[in-house]
Amino acid sequence: MVTVQHPDSQQGGRSRCLGRPTTIASLATYVPPRLLTNKDLEQLVDTTDEWILQRTGIRERHIVDPGVATSDLGKEAALKAIDAAGLKPTDIGLIVVGTVTPDMMFPSTACLLQHKIGATNAWGFDLSAACSAFTYSLTAASQIVASGGVEHALVVGADVMSSIIDYKDRSTCVLFGDGAGACVVSATTDSGAGILDYEHEIDGSGGPALCMPAGGSARPPSHDTVDQRLHYVKQDGQTVFKFAVRKTEEISRRLLERNGLTPDDLTLFVSHQANRRIIMSATERLGVPPEKVIINIERFGNTTAATIPLALNDAVESGRLKKGDLVLLASVGAGFTVGSVLVRWGF
Ligand code: ACO
């Protein structure tokens, strides 16, 4: 692996980031207005508000109305993010949409979104990494900007999880919600901001623990797959839980150490929001104090690709994240996928 010294990397650390510096120039989010509360779920499956809150930390989640697709949520967040960056859609050169719920198998949601927002000078693609989709998309877009390929990239993490959730399965339906986040990644000459480094892994042996079994080329849709409810999320919760705690800590520690940093150097740790207990266990092992950890799962549930931008947005709006702060993003998702990105906040 060829690495270069990033100008902002501390104490002789070495970053994987190649090329010119990049930064997150803006961020925006969108959730559909309709709420699905724990009390509502008590009417659908054998569960209680108390169980859901205690085991997951979730109180409510936002759910789309019928006919609202991932690109619709992405559009709302994308237009706000582009405007907040002081740009027009035609300034965007690349669109990366991280999602596990594309509007359809093809065309890509990036194509549909490009058309909806009028980003007529952009190319783009979808990125499938489940709950790591935002960290992966941020890295992919950042490195394309860093290479000089484009000046401004739009990164969107958006999912309509309610479209693939079985509201008869209490072990999964309480966990997920719908939402979108978008950020503009731009080249920068500001030495006080930047996407500093990243670390990612996949482990395909974890596939059966969290998947949607049918609808792809292995098991195309049929009456049988519908009858067997195979077009919904299936999860071995405990296997995913243990892997998520272990890997969130491991990949975050590796990224910090490579950059000569400790949790003390961080202003904030922003994890994928799958379960409050996963975040608390992983950060306790890592040695990040609770006051540096953002948890907003109680209001949104697990929105898959959108959780990290939704958490970042809360941090910015509440004044907990400001320009120049050092923030570590971390995610574990279906696949398994694992990601971590180190950012000096750009605005
Ligand atoms: N309400 C009431 N009881 C329930 C519910 C519910 N909604 N769901 C499960 N239970 C029951 C189970 O049936 C079980 O009962 P039993 O003991 O009689 O058999 C009991 O509660 C305990 O079940 P567990 O599965 O052991 O519960 P656990 O404490 O592990 O919590 C959970 C389950 C919340 C799913 C947890 O395992 C988890 O969060 N896993 C990780 C989820 C995750 O990180 N997903 C990854 C991201 S998703 C993506 O990438 C798309």
Side-chain angles (χ1 to χ4, degrees):
M1 170 64 64
V2 178
T3 57
V4 293
Q5 178 88 50
H6 190 284
D8 198 37
S9 190
Q10 298 183 5
Q11 297 168 32
R14 297 182 75 79
S15 167
R16 281 188 201 284
C17 291
L18 301 173
R20 59 184 176 164
T22 64
T23 190
I24 296 177
S26 68
L27 173 79
T29 61
Y30 178 77
V31 289
R34 188 170 139 214
L35 278 180
L36 182 66
T37 65
N38 291 352
K39 285 283 174 204
D40 295 331
L41 286 163
E42 286 180 356
Q43 310 303 311
L44 296 177
V45 288
D46 180 14
T47 192
T48 61
D49 174 42
E50 186 191 9
W51 190 96
I52 301 170
L53 196 55
Q54 191 193 16
R55 305 308 294 165
T56 71
I58 303 167
R59 284 181 196 276
E60 60 190 26
R61 63 292 287 142
H62 292 251
I63 299 290
V64 298
D65 288 323
V68 176
T70 295
S71 66
D72 297 315
L73 305 189
K75 175 187 168 186
E76 300 294 332
L79 287 174
K80 280 193 279 180
I82 293 167
D83 188 54
L87 300 173
K88 295 191 274 305
T90 48
D91 296 320
I92 299 297
L94 169 70
I95 300 172
V96 183
V97 178
T99 188
V100 77
T101 52
D103 287 27
M104 55 191 81
M105 289 284 273
F106 68 89
S108 73
T109 305
C111 289
L112 300 170
L113 182 64
Q114 179 262 356
H115 185 58
K116 285 183 179 180
I117 66 174
T120 47
N121 296 313
W123 67 289
F125 52 88
D126 288 3
L127 193 153
S128 175
C131 296
S132 293
F134 188 77
T135 58
Y136 280 36
S137 299
L138 193 58
T139 295
S142 171
Q143 284 290 269
I144 291 171
V145 174
S147 75
V150 298
E151 286 303 306
H152 305 289
L154 176 70
V155 173
V156 177
D159 272 298
V160 176
M161 293 305 292
S162 59
S163 67
I164 57 168
I165 291 302
D166 184 352
Y167 287 98
K168 291 186 171 171
D169 176 3
R170 72 174 181 176
S171 70
T172 53
C173 75
V174 301
L175 302 175
F176 294 94
D178 303 337
C183 67
V184 171
V185 173
S186 302
T188 185
T189 52
D190 180 354
S191 59
I195 296 171
L196 305 183
D197 200 5
Y198 64 88
E199 183 77 17
H200 299 289
E201 289 177 14
I202 55 172
D203 178 358
S205 70
L210 182 50
C211 62
M212 190 174 92
S217 55
R219 297 190 81 166
S222 67
H223 280 293
D224 189 41
T225 60
V226 172
D227 289 346
Q228 291 187 57
R229 310 183 79 74
L230 298 180
H231 297 272
Y232 293 123
V233 171
K234 307 288 178 190
Q235 175 172 252
D236 170 358
Q238 291 201 1
T239 299
V240 178
F241 189 101
K242 287 178 196 153
F243 186 86
V245 171
R246 180 165 62 84
K247 278 295 179 179
T248 301
E249 182 215 351
E250 195 182 298
I251 202 156
S252 302
R253 188 179 297 286
R254 207 184 311 149
L255 189 56
L256 285 173
E257 285 179 359
R258 192 168 67 235
N259 285 274
L261 299 166
T262 73
D264 287 346
D265 297 306
L266 295 175
T267 306
L268 275 188
F269 181 85
V270 179
S271 169
H272 167 58
Q273 312 274 310
N275 187 317
R276 170 183 274 275
R277 291 183 295 134
I278 292 175
I279 302 171
M280 296 309 291
S281 302
T283 50
E284 191 182 320
R285 288 166 177 227
L286 189 59
V288 182
E291 62 271 18
K292 290 189 175 184
V293 180
I294 290 281
I295 300 181
N296 68 352
I297 192 171
E298 63 271 21
R299 285 159 42 228
F300 301 114
N302 179 353
T303 53
T304 303
T307 66
I308 289 179
L310 282 167
L312 285 169
N313 193 57
D314 271 5
V316 171
E317 289 193 340
S318 63
R320 291 179 69 185
L321 182 56
K322 299 186 210 63
K323 186 176 186 319
D325 287 344
L326 196 60
V327 55
L328 188 65
L329 315 179
S331 63
V332 171
F336 292 125
T337 56
V338 185
S340 190
V341 183
L342 183 65
V343 178
R344 193 166 288 286
W345 198 247
F347 60 93

